[in-house]
Amino acid sequence: MADVLLMAQNLRKAFGGLVAVDDVSIQVASDTTHSIIGPNGAGKTTLFNLLTGRYRPTRGAVIYKGRDITTLPVHARAHLGIGRSFQITNVFPNLTVLENARLAAQALGKDNFRILRRADSFAAYTRRAHEVLEITGLRDVLAVPANVLPHGGKRKLELAMILASDPELLLLDEPTAGMASEQVPELIAIIERIRAEGRKTIIMVEHNMNVVMNISNRITVMHQGRVLAEGDPRQIAQDKTVQAVYLGELYDLPTGGSA
Ligand SMILES: Nc1ncnc2c1ncn2[C@@H]1O[C@H](COP(=O)(O)OP(=O)(O)OP(=O)(O)O)[C@@H](O)[C@H]1O
Ligand SMILES: [Mg+2]
């Protein structure tokens, strides 16, 4: 079996009486794109927050590279190589695209670049910023203030900023949220370029089935806090239960009986 990079073991998160994540176990293999899908309120973002350290689970464990990180805070996980995006926009609006990317490279770059002199490390951050802006298709808007970018451009800049610190695991919560459908193929291409950099694993929550079915190696379907199904895109697309609770509703497919 492929190397397991991250494992969730019997995770549970309750908010008062509401169990948002209920006994969820997943294994994410290195160098794969693993998508989490499911209807609104299924517990996808809550699971993400347990994986990134924003929330502590009520029960269960998160294991990264064989190490129990269940109680580590977000920044400590970031230093281990776990980068995440947010559903909210978190770029500096008045700084240029290049400056935002360089700051992101700098934020976590200390360990990688500590041995370098100040001027050299600035050059290294700038180089990394240029690399990630190339990957995310922002090369032509380097000098544009972030707040002038259209929505799709801001989403790409967020991706560039996570990538800047060179994480081994990227957690993307709805990367296409708010994007026009004609921008979706470009986003798919960007994610493929991110993977092509090598040594990159992606866990993605996404509602756009075109994106999910195109780029996922593995898909976990959540429903009411629990894992409903898991498999490769073909298995998930053909799964009758998944069709009934989720895909049927999205695609308006017949969910049983004679069509
Ligand atoms: N901080 C919180 N406090 C209380 N309840 C919460 C909190 N966060 C999430 N919930 C509840 O937990 C359940 C799961 O929410 P979650 O945001 O994880 O779903 P989701 O699958 O990400 O949905 P969506 O597709 O709409 O983003 C929902 O019923 C939600 O209202
Ligand atoms: Mg969510």
Side-chain angles (χ1 to χ4, degrees), residues 193-207:
R193 285 203 291 275
I194 291 175
R195 286 284 317 283
E197 262 209 309
R199 251 179 30 106
K200 290 270 182 288
T201 303
I202 296 176
I203 306 178
M204 179 176 74
V205 169
E206 181 55 56
H207 282 290

Side-chain angles (χ1 to χ4, degrees), residues 44-45 87 173-174 205:
K44 305 178 299 291
T45 297
Q87 269 173 319
D173 196 352
E174 299 195 33
V205 169

Side-chain angles (χ1 to χ4, degrees), residues 79-247:
H79 278 281
L80 292 177
I82 302 179
R84 77 162 294 178
S85 75
F86 296 83
Q87 269 173 319
I88 49 155
T89 331
N90 60 335
V91 299
F92 294 100
N94 298 317
L95 296 185
T96 67
V97 165
L98 179 62
E99 286 162 342
N100 268 289
R102 182 161 53 213
L103 276 176
Q106 221 160 333
L108 278 168
K110 292 186 196 70
D111 294 339
N112 295 343
F113 300 118
R114 192 162 40 198
I115 45 163
L116 302 175
R117 284 185 299 117
R118 217 181 147 81
D120 290 344
S121 55
F122 187 76
Y125 300 139
T126 306
R127 203 178 322 120
R128 182 62 183 154
H130 280 284
E131 278 169 14
V132 298
L133 294 173
E134 174 81 40
I135 291 169
T136 51
L138 292 171
R139 199 184 42 187
D140 298 334
V141 290
L142 297 182
V144 172
N147 61 359
V148 176
L149 290 175
H151 180 79
K154 287 195 180 103
R155 300 306 316 248
K156 288 190 225 166
L157 180 55
E158 287 178 339
L159 280 175
M161 288 170 71
I162 316 165
L163 202 54
S165 63
D166 204 16
E168 199 165 339
L169 173 63
L170 287 87
L171 291 128
L172 309 178
D173 196 352
E174 299 195 33
T176 68
M179 272 192 182
S181 58
E182 61 267 25
Q183 292 176 308
V184 167
E186 197 188 348
L187 184 96
I188 293 175
I190 290 170
I191 292 179
E192 281 169 349
R193 285 203 291 275
I194 291 175
R195 286 284 317 283
E197 262 209 309
R199 251 179 30 106
K200 290 270 182 288
T201 303
I202 296 176
I203 306 178
M204 179 176 74
V205 169
E206 181 55 56
H207 282 290
N208 185 311
M209 281 308 117
N210 182 15
V211 176
V212 169
M213 293 299 172
N214 255 290
I215 65 175
S216 307
N217 302 102
R218 197 142 188 97
I219 299 172
T220 299
V221 186
M222 289 184 69
H223 181 53
Q224 296 180 346
R226 304 185 73 98
V227 173
L228 180 77
E230 200 185 296
D232 64 31
R234 180 192 293 264
Q235 290 166 329
I236 294 303
Q238 291 171 352
D239 187 300
K240 291 274 179 285
T241 322
V242 174
Q243 284 179 11
V245 308
Y246 186 53
L247 296 179

